[in-house]
Amino acid sequence: MASDHFANPNPTPIESPSRGNKRTRSPSLDPDEADQPPLFSGKEISTDDERQDNQIKEVMHKNSHINPNPEDNQDRESQEEEKEVVKTPPANNQKQEEEGNNESVHSTDGGLLSNVTESLVKMVMTDEFPLHTITGIYPLSRHLRPDVPLPSISKLKKGLIHVHHEEKSQLKKILKTHRVCLSTETWVDECEMYHMSIRAHWINKDWSLCNKVLTFRWVPPPYPCSEEIEELVTELGEIWENCLKDWGIESVLTITVGKTCTEAGAVEYLKNRTKDKIGAVLGHEFLHIRSCTHVIAEVLKEVLESEKETVRKIRDTIRFVDSSEERYEHFKKCAKEENLEHQGRLFVSIEPMWDSVYMMLEKATKLQKAFERLLKEDPVFLSCFYPPEEEDEKYDWWGNKIEKEVVLNPGPPTEADWENAKRLAKLLRLFYKVMLRLSDPLFPTSNIFVEEVLGMRTRLAQLGANNDKMLGSLAGRIKKRFDEYWGDLLGLNPLFYVALVLDPRKKLKYIRFYLSEIDTDSSLVVSIVERVEATLVRLFEQYLEFEPEKSLSGSDSDLVYSSEDENYSEKLRVHFFKLVEKERKGDRILELKQYLTASCETGNGSFDILDWWKANCMRYPVLSQIAMDVLAIPASAAFYEQAFSTGFRELIWHKSRLSEELREALICGQDWFSYKKPPADFKESFIDEMAIEYGEEPED
């Protein structure tokens, strides 16, 4: 036992600022840490005298920071009392975290604790954090704000599902008042299990284009054998039908799907199940739309496979240059000696993104002379194309020698390879510019689809007749594959022609002019124009039938009366409104003729078709409803980067291991909360730069 003069005659336990929870603390070297719980220490206090000594030191250390001004001391004490009300004991925090029930804790700082889980849930959704990595921020949070407990992993999962259900209920209310267009996208995970996301597209009352992911479900494989096709088509069709019932969607205009036979069969299944419903437009005659991104990706996949040796040689050459900073500086010196402008790093293609192949070839072909000069000056450059043979011999389990499969490297690119790369880059540039426009989710694409696809088809025909036999062969193969997917001009969905007519700058006159310029068969042009006009008239008549239903559901609903309280005045009133409605229908029939015969708008590059219809919706009430639905049709089922992929979209590994409900919450939440609008002039400025570089005039 230590001597008595070291002991405190009146030991007083030091209270922590946590609702009367008394315990002793070790001295703190930092005055800001005076109110913090003790840190873990490997050395345990063993005697009562040492504990009392530490208490005395702590009291002296705390009193040394007291301001001699009594008024300031009162302010400090009042602030500490406020902290005591807000703060929660660490022991209670730990208990609440284990129970995963932080909503039961009340705070006086504006509901801070109730917002922690929601903020953490949205962070996980938008930034795609694996759930197990969230525990890494717990120690930091305890240090910064020990009074705010973080939810456990189980509570975080419940929060993800809760936020998903809340947002889903709000989105349901919006979709009930709109006719939507659907698109599907196939995903594949690390176990080669297939999933599908269903996205809805519509134009809201403010005439803004909207799209949201509705569901994310497991689906059967997209390439089944012929014996299983009927069963899997029915299964996929039932998944789509259940999705529409779950969301309360009663009217669908189109479904944009990929290239697989199961998706095409599922569209026919859904068409037969829903064509007799009240909201079905023209009996879902034009329900099926094939995604242009999938068609182009399938065609280019075959072309790139046939030219893989050329692409491989150039890719290996660029990898050698980028393998070290010394080699890259040597390459820049070679480019300077050849009077070639080179800025930025070289680009290496990434599979399965065909746009990366285009960017790689586009930049590499301009630096051909620099690569050839580097090949002459650097002896290591040539040797890197021929890897050394392995000296160690391998044997199987029974001791037999394994014959090595010798994969000969094709060597550096030759002059023929560079010429072939220039041809391939020229073709890919054509598709790249088209896909930039058709994969834009912020602006309508249905009104430009016909021009882009038919213009691309015409350009391929021109390249096929080129004097360059290699270029003509490549263009001819691509055009042949295009005709197999879309056929002739009649193979396109008529709703895309209708969308072109609903562009006030073009209308039906432009279709007749455009088709006459690109096709010499006048009879085919006449038949297409007549078909488009007939389809537009049928749409107008059916939307004219839909309109009274909307008016009765609004402010005129009070005109409906029961037989119990009917009287003569009410009968006359209802009969009068029926006559007015009949007269209005007669006037509306003239609406279509008035639009088609009116002069076309003289819009420039800044013309916004949605703003025009928003301003003229009162002038053309029925046509504006058609435009609101038709202009929402997506030409592509994929947007931006994914639109340039030749394969399926990959599902991140940590999401594939979750339950189906939680996986759907994460995929939908990421789409709902993390959508950001890219710069409006990014696409146009890039295309203009490419046009100037090739000696062409920038597009208006």
Side-chain angles (χ1 to χ4, degrees), residues 457-479:
R457 181 174 177 268
T458 304
R459 181 59 177 160
L460 289 173
Q462 294 174 354
L463 293 176
N466 196 293
N467 295 330
D468 191 337
K469 295 182 179 180
M470 294 294 296
L471 181 61
S473 176
L474 284 174
R477 284 157 49 191
I478 295 176
K479 183 179 180 300

Side-chain angles (χ1 to χ4, degrees), residues 120 123-125 127-136 153 156-157 160 652-655 658 666:
L120 193 60
M123 184 183 72
V124 171
M125 285 180 170
D127 298 331
E128 296 188 280
F129 284 123
L131 294 180
H132 67 273
T133 61
I134 299 301
T135 57
I153 295 297
L156 185 61
K157 291 180 179 179
L160 288 167
I652 301 178
W653 62 271
H654 61 81
K655 290 183 179 179
L658 301 174
L666 288 173

Side-chain angles (χ1 to χ4, degrees), residues 120 123 133-143 150:
L120 193 60
M123 184 183 72
T133 61
I134 299 301
T135 57
I137 69 173
Y138 287 175
L140 178 62
S141 176
R142 291 193 186 101
H143 179 73
L150 293 180

Side-chain angles (χ1 to χ4, degrees), residues 203-209 502 504 607-621 623-625 627-628 631:
I203 295 176
N204 60 18
K205 295 180 180 179
D206 294 330
W207 286 89
S208 297
L209 187 62
L502 294 176
F607 181 83
D608 193 329
I609 186 173
L610 297 183
D611 287 344
W612 189 92
W613 278 107
K614 181 180 180 179
N616 292 270
C617 60
M618 299 300 295
R619 183 181 178 186
Y620 305 109
L623 280 176
S624 63
Q625 292 297 322
M628 181 175 286
L631 293 178

Side-chain angles (χ1 to χ4, degrees), residues 228-258:
E228 301 175 347
I229 183 66
E230 294 183 3
E231 180 181 353
L232 296 181
V233 163
T234 303
E235 185 177 1
L236 182 58
E238 291 176 351
I239 293 175
W240 293 359
E241 187 177 11
N242 293 334
C243 174
L244 296 179
K245 292 180 180 179
D246 180 35
W247 280 85
I249 298 176
E250 299 179 355
S251 181
V252 177
L253 182 62
T254 60
I255 302 180
T256 304
V257 297

Side-chain angles (χ1 to χ4, degrees), residues 332-344:
K332 289 174 62 177
K333 182 180 178 181
C334 294
K336 186 176 180 180
E337 293 176 353
E338 293 291 340
N339 296 324
L340 298 175
E341 295 183 1
H342 172 54
Q343 297 178 355

